[in-house]
Amino acid sequence: MLWGSNARETHPIFFHHLLKGKQAGARLFAIDPRRTSSVAWADVWLGLEVGSDVALANAIGREIIAAGLCNMAFVQRATSGFEAYKAAVEEYTLTRGEELTGVKAEVIRDLAHSYARADRAQICWTLGITEHHNAVDNVFSIINLSLLTGHVGRFGSGLVPLRGQNNVQGGGDMGAIPNKFVGGQDVEDPELRALFEREYGATIPDKRGWHLSQMFDGMEAGTLRAVYVLGENPMQSEADAKRTRRLLEGLEHLVVQDIFLTKTAEVADVVLPAAASWCESEGTVTSSERRVQRVRKALDPPGQAKDDIEILTALAHRLGTDWGAPTAHDVWEEVRRLSPWHGGMSYARLEALNGLQWPCPTDEHPGSPTLHTRLWSEPIEGPRASFQVVHHSPPVDQLSEEFPLRLTTGRRLDSYNTGVQTGGYTSPLRHGERIELSPEDAARLQVVNDEVVRVVSRRGAVTAPVKIDTGLRPGLTFMTLHFPDEVETNILTIDAVDPKSGTAEFKATAIRVEKLNVPEPVGAGGGVH
Amino acid sequence: MEAVPLPFVRTVELTIDGQAVRVPEGTTLLHACQAMGIDTPTVCYSENLTPVNVCRVCVVEVEGSRVLVPSCSRPAEPGMVVHTDSDRVRHSRRLVLELLGSSVDLSTAEPKMLADMERYGAVPERFDTGEMTGHGAKATVQQPVKVDNNLYVRDYSKCVLCYKCVEACGTDAQNTFAIAVAGRGFNATIATEFETPLPDSACVYCGNCIGVCPTGALMFKTEHDMREAGTWNESAQKVTDTICPYCGVGCTLQLHVQDNSIVRVTSPHDHDVTEGHLCIKGRFGWQFVQNRP
Amino acid sequence: MSKNSTCPSLWARVEACTDVDLHLIPGATASHDEREAIDAALDGARPERHLLLPALHAAQARVGWISPGALNHICARLSVPPAEAYGVASFYAMFATTARAPRTVHVCDDIACRTQGAEGLCQALTDKFGAAGEDASGLGGAATWVRSPCLGLCEQAPAALVQRAGEARGDEAVAFASLDDLILAVESGTVRSPQQTLAPQTESPRDPALRLLRRVGVADPSSLDDYRAHGGYVALRKALSMGPERVLREVLESTLVGRGGAAFPTGRKWEAVARNPMRPHYLVCNADESEPGTFKDRVIMEEDPFALIEAMTIAGITTGCELGYLYIRGEYPKATARLAHAISQARTRGWLGDNIMGEGATFDIELRRGAGAYICGEETSLFNSLEGLRGEPRNKPPFPVHEGLFHKPTVVNNVETLVNVLDILAHGGPTFAASGTPGSSGTKLFCVSGCATRPGLYEAPFGITLGELITLAGGVADGRSLQAVLLGGAAGVFVTPDELEMPLTFEGTKAAGATLGSGVIMLFDDRVPLGDVLIRIASFFRDESCGQCVPCRVGTMRQEEALHRLVAGRTNREGEIGLINDLAMVMRDASICGLGQTAASAVQSALQKFPLDSLGPRLATPAGPAKTPEAH
């Protein structure tokens, strides 16, 4: 099951493996509002309405229960909350599912039965699940399905969130999230905190920090007045770009550490030029499959750019703390001391074995290709996995007569995020930013390919040329965030944020498209309608 | 629960060059030879692709077989008696290499191929006919280099038609099918539909064709330009393994660096994440670190 | 929220899910005619890759070439990537992948036709219309002429084939072509000298011993009833009553071996497939008769098509196949039409399809045309061609009985082989085995062409000597003396006038270092420049090599070049012979398939048996308007 993921373009090498599975006889169900190049390979496409993922998952779950296809042995032994879940999804009949998602009942049924009956089944997802105001609910609704069927914790079965960058997983694992130390250890756990305080020789606040959206709220409230940004370009990557700009520009002090003078760096008080971590410095990254791999220095960084560790150490020194001159290896040894997940991952082993998957606590441990196997041990180790009751919640930015079209966003094969890196090479596949319209909408608007139109949301307007895409249904439109300098798509997007993850609802914006009678230069931003 | 019991592996015993050897059932003769330390020349074989057995340079003699058999794709059978260095084998290997050398520009071919030519005494010049033109003159696959995009070039004067690029573009990896073998016989070429330039074709510039090309017919534009300018210096290059920054899959990139600039990118064929294959961003998207003022 | 469930266009697109993210050629759209022709060819069938060749044929037949728009339409309908479809289209000689005149006259300049002045005709056409492949001058792009390899009309040489795109009358052969005939064909597409059937034994006084040819010239090939009136469908009825096991035993006991050239025991092939537990099984009739000098299957298919249909039905039922493919070479329009008619007659009668003859068996035949590729006569290439892939041979093993068409167990039999089965059922396996010689049972069809007095198709029991057969054909024409005989076709062997005592059996020819091959007996009189023949043979292989393996792809080119130099006497002969021998060895030892393995066979035999001096220019070849043989 490929859910909210255009892996053909966003995770091409993962898709190679997926196609090998298909060649070997696996069935592929693609769940995506757009008929993407990934969907083209699917045996079955579920072209659901943007933001109806919970409804679909619940309908699948209800059908699995109703058809008696639950793995009850697993449910009873390894999970909790089943009865509440069962009661909650009762209303999501196939008919109701079809109403909410736009996917035909028999197709939902086919997926439910195929998933439940399969010997092995995986659900892979990307930002189509997580860039919603109810991102965490979306994920819970998917996890519920794996618990219902026991498709978790076994080789070949599982839940696969495909990470968008080489170290999204590793960043979190290393503690670069508000509530965790390295190795997923809770900062609010006094015992753990004590351990880390001993190691660091410093006092650590006993409450978790803020995630990104909370920080912006803090800026809005005036409680956050200085920000240190490392390797992010929020000026262009955050939803509702106008608000972001106002808040960042309103800070008392902004420090940006980046490999480029990004739009964010341009408004910073201090810019710290950094080395590109993947080729100008040493260290490790952790992939989607929890595989820790070595990155190595192949190039000397340009000009005054310095390795992140060097910058941070120098900064610490200026602040009155001497951390010495640690190498990446020294830092990694600290990680191994503090994180049970990583204890067995020496540089030597990582190099010899092409990386290791955590948990890998000891030097003898082979790493863990499959997670959650504890759910299958007899009796289960640790707590039961709990069902989470979640309900359908349509996108915040509702369609109306004034804004009748749904804009969703995503990546294209040859480009990446705000284009800071991919802008550096010339791709024959690249045609700049375009608003993709269904043939029906294009006909209704009387616009043709490459014609420049005005795209208006409740927050702002941009102009962009049209691309007609037969993979879009009427009412659905698509843009990327790759070319903010030409077309600032985030002028349009809404910063409705998932309260748990802090991710904005990039996937669902209400817009209208206006035909321009006078040619207008591409990309000119407009005021609020 | 995750422990999948290993299936019982049957073995077969055969004789290679007079030595008895036991290998797991399904082992190809090529791998059986490798296990015995017998060096077998290959051109169209690659461990990350399905054997197509078209170059015929890996042929061995199997007693009882009328013709020589391609070791890359022939599984070992019980009782087989195999000769890897008989006169017939040596003759065919020499001739195949001579025929390739006589028709194709091998100046940038893998060193192993050139070493094998030496080893088997291949003298492609035997087929040269001096100044002769018209009937009887030696045909080659000489043609202009195709430069139709900024990422890689195609010089089919160097193409030995090993099918590797087609396989990498096809079901063995990328499944894009932008290229196929077109035409027939000596005029067969690797082509897009109607030889349309790459930007109009299905090509997605993953460069996996370059990654498997044994002769340099497919080449990074950077390498091509540096060779043209006379600045390409492989001995001054350092290869560093790192991880691609562009998504969470964790593809190993081998950065080939000359004078503090990346000049091309490969991935190890035996890496279980990439199997040697990358996408456009990993293969070509590194320019941003060296767009220096 | 918009309701896509109420949007029919969306769900229509779901149905069109392609299983591959196709990228079509930008901006190329099929014309109305192309679309109509392609859609008609694909009508009613599940859109699958194996329909690629029929779809390409439809486009070619309508507009005379495979345009980017037509290719796009085919690719979209069949979910085939355009590069792959182009690779297939460009593989076949009968498909043009650049705009070509709708009318194309393929003039055979192969070895048999060369003995009857084909080269002179080509020269004259060049003078009249310009070079081969160019738009014929003065016709405003309406026509062109091209040189062609053997068209399988060797007994009616010189021959040509007129491809008439967009015309209801389709393609048609020209026999005994004069220059005027060819000019008329190029200028108007009119065929003034159509092909005939030349089987001298079937003419009065008719040879009463004929078995394979017994209905030729007697039964109406378009009438199922007439076929029955001449003993047709007795064998099938008998087979149905005997059951597969007993039929199989009869075929095993008959010791019948394949007539396509490889001489593999037919019964063993059938048995291997019949016993293979994997399903489905397929039957393939190899009617891609393309060996230069061979036309035996064409005559059977044209004059006794029901015999082949009946024999295939028996083979299919016996080996557990429910579907048989009849793959006929693209240059046989007349045989194709007659077979198509026969198949539809048999279906109508209930003798193909479900519940055949009311006995419960199911078997049907799909007729598929090749498109001009000698290599597709190689069984595994033929499978690839049927599957919509390039006609490149596969490595063997696995053999077709284990992994053949669509990678399922497959029986592949030649036309002549299959037709023998009718006799085996009529008279019993042991009786059949007792005929001919101990090593070669039954009778054999011989294709006599070249400088014979009465060229044509002959049937004779195995064991007849070469000399006797030549005598049967009236000896060498025009009272000339015999210089050489080519046995078995371009992949065969030259023999000298000293070898006429050779018995024509598998074992007899083998003992003499020759081969029976497909039954080609091509005579060369003392005027024919053998060097020219050898070069034509070499260029045939160079042209027909699929290009897959190095020994054949480059080796056939180098062989042809060396022969040119040798015949021209331009370099040291010993050096050239050394090269040619080296090439012969690598092609024979290391090529993937029989094409490469035999590409040097005829050349080698000639160089061994004939003095080098005989290779150079000889007396003038007969040129210009061809003579008409006596039997005409």
Side-chain angles (χ1 to χ4, degrees), chain C residues 4-71:
Chain C
N4 67 334
S5 52
T6 58
C7 167
S9 65
L10 173 70
W11 294 109
R13 277 186 231 132
V14 179
E15 299 304 315
C17 261
T18 50
D19 221 31
V20 49
D21 45 349
L22 277 187
H23 178 284
L24 298 178
I25 308 162
T29 314
S31 69
H32 171 78
D33 279 0
E34 288 168 332
R35 189 176 293 265
E36 186 182 75
I38 294 162
D39 289 347
L42 301 179
D43 186 33
R46 274 231 309 274
E48 289 175 346
R49 173 76 182 247
H50 67 90
L51 294 169
L52 183 55
L53 208 53
L56 290 169
H57 262 304
Q60 171 76 38
R62 183 63 69 97
V63 297
W65 71 297
I66 312 294
S67 72
L71 197 82

Side-chain angles (χ1 to χ4, degrees), chain B residues 35-52:
Chain B
M36 293 174 72
I38 298 171
D39 176 35
T40 308
T42 60
V43 173
C44 69
Y45 175 79
S46 183
E47 62 267 39
N48 58 348
L49 302 171
T50 311
V52 285

Side-chain angles (χ1 to χ4, degrees), chain A residues 8 22 35 37 40-41 45 47 49 99-100 102 104 440 470 472-474, chain C residues 1-5 7 9-11 13-14 16-22:
Chain A
R8 177 69 159 156
K22 266 214 79 184
R35 188 186 176 285
S37 54
W41 289 92
W45 173 40
E49 288 292 336
E99 277 167 22
L100 291 172
K104 282 190 171 175
E440 292 83 354
T470 53
L472 294 172
R473 76 172 63 122
Chain C
M1 193 185 290
S2 70
K3 280 282 170 282
N4 67 334
S5 52
C7 167
S9 65
L10 173 70
W11 294 109
R13 277 186 231 132
V14 179
C17 261
T18 50
D19 221 31
V20 49
D21 45 349
L22 277 187

Side-chain angles (χ1 to χ4, degrees), chain B:
Chain B
M1 235 8 237
E2 73 181 285
V4 179
L6 279 176
F8 172 71
V9 180
R10 254 185 276 242
T11 59
V12 294
E13 190 171 304
L14 69 162
T15 308
I16 299 179
D17 292 344
Q19 245 184 294
V21 59
R22 185 168 281 281
V23 295
E25 193 174 44
T27 304
T28 61
L29 293 178
L30 178 67
H31 287 138
C33 287
Q34 275 170 355
M36 293 174 72
I38 298 171
D39 176 35
T40 308
T42 60
V43 173
C44 69
Y45 175 79
S46 183
E47 62 267 39
N48 58 348
L49 302 171
T50 311
V52 285
N53 56 75
V54 299
C55 76
R56 316 305 280 185
V57 78
C58 73
V59 287
V60 295
E61 190 168 350
V62 174
E63 286 186 13
S65 170
R66 185 173 49 87
V67 293
L68 304 179
V69 306
S71 62
C72 65
S73 55
R74 183 66 171 268
E77 292 162 25
M80 257 185 179
V81 180
V82 179
H83 303 281
T84 71
D85 203 36
S86 67
D87 287 347
R88 282 175 74 193
V89 169
R90 294 190 61 85
H91 177 86
S92 278
R93 290 180 179 179
R94 172 170 68 97
L95 261 287
V96 164
L97 293 166
E98 280 181 346
L99 290 174
L100 288 179
S102 75
S103 53
V104 180
D105 170 5
L106 296 179
S107 59
T108 54
E110 286 170 351
K112 176 73 166 69
M113 199 189 300
L114 303 175
D116 284 330
M117 293 184 76
E118 185 107 327
R119 172 182 170 193
Y120 287 98
V123 187
E125 298 74 25
R126 291 206 295 148
F127 296 98
D128 283 342
T129 46
E131 299 299 302
M132 193 167 174
T133 55
H135 290 314
K138 191 191 76 172
T140 68
V141 296
Q142 178 68 39
Q143 58 187 290
V145 187
K146 288 177 165 38
V147 185
D148 53 18
N149 69 87
N150 273 323
L151 300 182
Y152 72 100
V153 304
R154 297 175 291 155
D155 183 356
Y156 290 130
S157 299
K158 294 176 176 170
C159 175
V160 290
L161 218 72
C162 66
Y163 287 57
K164 283 179 178 171
C165 55
V166 176
E167 291 199 286
C169 190
T171 47
D172 273 348
Q174 181 55 31
N175 286 279
T176 287
F177 309 101
I179 47 170
V181 182
R184 194 166 79 188
F186 194 80
N187 296 323
T189 53
I190 307 298
T192 58
E193 57 278 8
F194 296 96
E195 315 248 351
T196 181
L198 288 177
D200 287 337
S201 76
C203 179
V204 292
Y205 306 91
C206 61
N208 293 330
C209 52
I210 312 171
V212 294
C213 179
T215 62
L218 303 169
M219 193 180 271
F220 276 71
K221 179 83 168 14
T222 40
E223 177 176 348
H224 173 75
D225 290 349
M226 287 174 77
R227 283 181 184 275
E228 294 278 289
T231 56
W232 181 260
N233 182 0
E234 212 147 335
S235 62
Q237 291 171 10
K238 191 164 172 271
V239 182
T240 306
D241 283 13
T242 192
I243 302 297
C244 178
Y246 281 120
C247 78
V249 173
C251 298
T252 298
L253 304 181
Q254 295 172 309
L255 306 178
H256 299 243
V257 174
Q258 181 180 331
D259 299 330
N260 204 38
S261 286
I262 300 169
V263 292
R264 82 183 149 114
V265 172
T266 54
S267 186
H269 287 192
D270 59 353
H271 192 282
D272 51 6
V273 173
T274 67
E275 292 173 358
H277 306 301
L278 298 170
C279 76
I280 180 172
K281 297 188 288 291
R283 187 79 67 179
F284 296 110
W286 35 265
Q287 194 61 37
F288 72 93
V289 295
Q290 55 198 44
N291 281 340
R292 296 173 188 133

Side-chain angles (χ1 to χ4, degrees), chain A residues 75-197:
Chain A
V75 167
Q76 284 164 5
R77 202 174 45 79
T79 74
S80 61
F82 171 71
E83 288 305 326
Y85 174 75
K86 183 179 172 187
V89 298
E90 181 55 33
E91 63 180 281
Y92 295 88
T93 60
L94 290 178
T95 315
R96 179 88 181 112
E98 175 171 333
E99 277 167 22
L100 291 172
T101 65
V103 179
K104 282 190 171 175
E106 67 256 33
V107 181
I108 302 175
R109 182 179 183 280
D110 178 20
L111 173 52
H113 286 240
S114 301
Y115 180 69
R117 288 177 190 278
D119 289 339
R120 282 160 303 182
Q122 300 192 8
I123 307 180
C124 311
W125 70 88
T126 319
L127 301 180
I129 283 298
T130 48
E131 284 184 347
H132 284 287
H133 75 281
N134 55 345
V136 174
D137 285 358
N138 282 343
V139 175
F140 280 148
S141 73
I142 288 174
I143 293 172
N144 288 339
L145 297 181
S146 73
L147 297 180
L148 214 48
T149 52
H151 284 316
V152 64
R154 289 186 294 133
F155 181 78
S157 273
L159 296 160
V160 187
L162 296 163
R163 308 301 193 184
Q165 298 164 28
N166 67 351
N167 206 26
V168 170
Q169 181 71 46
D173 296 348
M174 293 303 113
I177 40 177
N179 58 337
K180 300 284 183 188
F181 292 118
V182 62
Q185 304 175 90
D186 196 339
V187 296
E188 292 173 3
D189 180 324
E191 273 181 43
L192 286 171
R193 207 164 53 245
L195 175 77
F196 279 81
E197 286 179 342

